[in-house]
Amino acid sequence: MDVTLEQPARARLITSEEQELPVRATLRYASTDPLAVHIDFPAEVALDGEGVSWTFARSLLEEGVRRPAGGGDVHIWPCGPARTVLELHSPHGLALLQFDTPALRRFLLRTFAVVAAGREDLGDAVDRGLSDLLGAPSTGGEGGREQ
């Protein structure tokens, strides 16, 4: 059975003036894409006025709540015992967000209850990834990655 988890999350966007602006976000996990987590942001916080979704490895989020992790477009690190920083790089610039660490840990525990670490079915995930990359229809079920 396919399971999708969604959890609202409060984040604080850190501005270049070191102000903290509240931002609504949704943490999302789908058993059909067991290695990934998604963070969805509403249109009102995007530069282009459209909602945006960031997708990255669940293992990156798990590591990042404990110690600095990441590379490329996504970096995550703990900021004291109560907050975790998420740094997102895009062609439009950089976003620095703080999340409550207990909320991220709760979300991770819920994802592991759906698909335990090391128990991910990689066959379907690889098939979908290759199909998305090559622009061919997937044979391993419905859907694919968001654009």
Side-chain angles (χ1 to χ4, degrees), residues 82-133:
R83 292 187 176 182
T84 298
V85 175
L86 178 65
E87 182 179 294
L88 304 171
H89 295 259
S90 80
H92 302 289
L94 163 76
L96 196 62
L97 299 132
Q98 285 186 349
F99 286 86
D100 293 334
T101 302
L104 295 178
R105 287 196 172 129
R106 264 191 316 277
F107 174 69
L108 282 167
L109 287 173
R110 291 178 66 211
T111 72
F112 291 131
V114 173
V115 179
R119 297 287 198 190
E120 298 92 348
D121 179 4
L122 300 182
D124 283 347
V126 169
D127 182 45
R128 274 191 306 282
L130 287 173
S131 294
D132 289 349
L133 182 64

Side-chain angles (χ1 to χ4, degrees), residues 4-58:
T4 299
L5 300 174
E6 290 189 353
Q7 178 179 311
R10 288 181 292 197
R12 289 165 291 286
L13 177 67
I14 310 303
T15 69
S16 59
E17 295 84 30
E18 296 187 21
Q19 294 179 336
E20 294 185 14
L21 304 175
V23 173
R24 288 182 306 118
T26 301
L27 305 170
R28 188 166 40 88
Y29 177 79
S31 63
T32 57
D33 193 4
L35 297 174
V37 292
H38 312 270
I39 300 181
D40 303 324
F41 296 99
E44 60 263 17
V45 300
L47 293 174
D48 62 3
E50 294 186 25
V52 65
S53 181
W54 281 79
T55 301
F56 52 91
R58 176 172 71 165

